[in-house]
Amino acid sequence: MAEHRDLSPDALLRRSELAAALTEAGFPIAPATLATKAVRGGGPPFRYFGRIPLYPWGDGLDWARGRLSKLVSNTSEAA
C-alpha cells in the first residue's frame, strides 16, 4: 500500500488498509475496531463493493481528526 501521504482523498481502502493508513498517520486503530464501529455506528463512512466495505481515505482521515480532543496543557483540562 502507498504511504498515506501519497493517497488521494478519494482513494477507496479496505478496512485493514484504512487501519494501517490511519495508524501511520498517527491515529492508531485496529481493523477489528473499525469492524465493530461499522456494526454499532460511530465509525468512518464507507460504501460497499459487493460484500467488501470500502472507505474513502479523506473521509476516514477527517473522521479520525474529528475524534481528537482540544489542546490541553494538563490532564485536568481534558475533563
Side-chain angles (χ1 to χ4, degrees):
M1 183 182 80
E3 290 186 23
H4 74 275
R5 292 176 294 278
D6 298 334
L7 291 173
S8 159
D10 296 325
L12 296 174
L13 306 177
R14 288 178 174 241
R15 188 170 285 146
S16 60
E17 294 171 328
L18 180 65
L22 287 173
T23 298
E24 182 183 331
F27 303 101
I29 192 162
T33 302
L34 292 173
T36 298
K37 290 190 175 298
V39 173
R40 295 183 182 169
F46 64 94
R47 57 181 57 174
Y48 283 105
F49 180 72
R51 294 181 20 205
I52 300 168
L54 297 175
Y55 296 81
W57 167 238
D59 292 338
L61 188 56
D62 289 344
W63 170 81
R65 287 176 175 154
R67 295 183 68 200
L68 286 172
S69 72
K70 65 179 181 112
L71 286 173
V72 297
S73 60
N74 60 59
T75 56
S76 63
E77 288 181 15

